[in-house]
Amino acid sequence: MRIAVAGATGNIGVLTVAALEQAGHDVVRISRSLGVDLTTGHGLGAALTGVEAVVDSTSYTGADPDAAVTYFGTTTQNLLAAEVRADVRHHVLLSIVGVDRVVGNAHYAGKREQEHLVTEGPVPWTIVPATQFHDFAATLMSWTEQDGVATIPPLLVQPIAPEDVADVLAEIATGAPQGRYRDVAGPEPQDLVDMARRTKDARGCHAVKLVPTWSSLLGADMAGDVLLPSEGARIAPTTFDEWLARQR
């Protein structure tokens, strides 16, 4: 199949491209750095020529909910419109477990807008809700560290290996549209503060003091079981310990 991956240079996009190519598919990489701009639509028509399915793994890192909604709304509308013109038959969207249960977070607000546009849109679709990735704690440390101190919210998560997410997306993209797919998660729950500590130790990072606290990015509305997968979730094989061993 000829399959396009939007966000192809991102964390999950790179791995999804690799999984699809390993399976023998012809992959089109969509990224602004590669000359295709989802915010303007520039280059989309040529990129989607002959494409049968699109995997959207794009992300957004800003903290303003309105800006996130605008970004995801614009890029998704441009992508779907181009897919219609190219007669794409399957749109696969990577989303987040618990996206409707978290109100104040900008990224979640943007993903809700993205889901709405996809579900109401003209292209047959599959939405894949995944839990946080195994490298989520490391990402938070990089975002919040100031003067040797990083704040980490005391969240309960059930993290999944990025490679496992990519494998699921590649598998689904080659099949028929399924609507909202079941939650996809890693094998076991983890405490995010402990994940940060263990990741720091495994990677031999410079001395960083971890302070458990709720931050402006991740609030108390994410506490408890909000971020955990629902019953019947698809459980990916790679444990956090196995992923961590590869970081040493």
Side-chain angles (χ1 to χ4, degrees):
M1 291 178 61
R2 185 171 174 83
I3 300 171
V5 177
T9 57
N11 184 21
I12 300 301
V14 167
L15 296 170
T16 304
V17 168
L20 287 166
E21 289 184 335
Q22 186 175 9
H25 300 286
D26 179 18
V27 182
V28 178
R29 295 165 175 82
I30 294 177
S31 172
R32 183 182 301 174
S33 64
L34 300 175
V36 184
D37 191 342
L38 290 176
T39 61
T40 64
H42 176 75
L44 265 178
L48 294 183
T49 300
V51 165
E52 300 168 73
V54 172
V55 177
D56 186 354
S57 64
T58 54
S59 188
Y60 181 84
T61 57
D64 181 353
D66 291 337
V69 169
T70 298
Y71 172 79
F72 278 121
T74 299
T75 57
T76 302
Q77 287 174 328
N78 287 339
L79 186 55
L80 291 174
E83 288 175 15
V84 170
R85 292 191 294 270
D87 197 27
V88 172
R89 301 196 298 268
H90 190 185
H91 182 97
V92 180
L93 172 63
L94 174 62
S95 192
I96 315 171
V97 167
V99 71
D100 291 327
R101 300 194 292 265
V102 177
V103 177
N105 183 272
H107 188 65
Y108 281 67
K111 296 300 285 188
R112 283 193 295 272
E113 173 68 8
Q114 196 177 32
E115 284 198 6
H116 171 72
L117 291 171
V118 169
T119 57
E120 298 297 321
V123 182
W125 53 273
T126 305
I127 292 176
V128 183
T131 55
Q132 285 67 38
F133 309 142
H134 284 333
D135 55 3
F136 182 55
T139 300
L140 279 181
M141 282 191 289
S142 70
W143 284 350
T144 65
E145 183 186 350
Q146 290 186 349
D147 300 323
V149 177
T151 56
I152 305 292
L155 291 174
L156 181 64
V157 296
Q158 192 163 326
I160 183 171
E163 295 85 354
D164 289 344
V165 175
D167 287 343
V168 172
L169 292 173
E171 171 197 314
I172 289 174
T174 61
Q178 302 183 52
R180 189 168 191 86
Y181 194 72
R182 54 185 169 148
D183 290 352
V184 179
E188 54 196 4
Q190 299 283 343
D191 173 79
L192 188 61
V193 178
D194 184 59
M195 285 176 63
R197 184 178 299 110
R198 293 165 65 194
T199 300
K200 178 172 68 75
D201 292 345
R203 291 182 171 178
C205 298
H206 61 280
V208 179
K209 180 180 180 180
L210 301 178
V211 177
T213 183
W214 296 111
S215 70
S216 58
L217 291 177
L218 304 175
D221 57 344
M222 292 184 171
D225 62 358
V226 169
L227 303 183
L228 298 184
S230 58
E231 186 175 349
R234 176 172 176 173
I235 303 301
T238 308
T239 66
F240 180 66
D241 287 337
E242 290 169 339
W243 176 84
L244 202 62
R246 300 199 292 265
Q247 309 302 303
R248 300 183 188 279

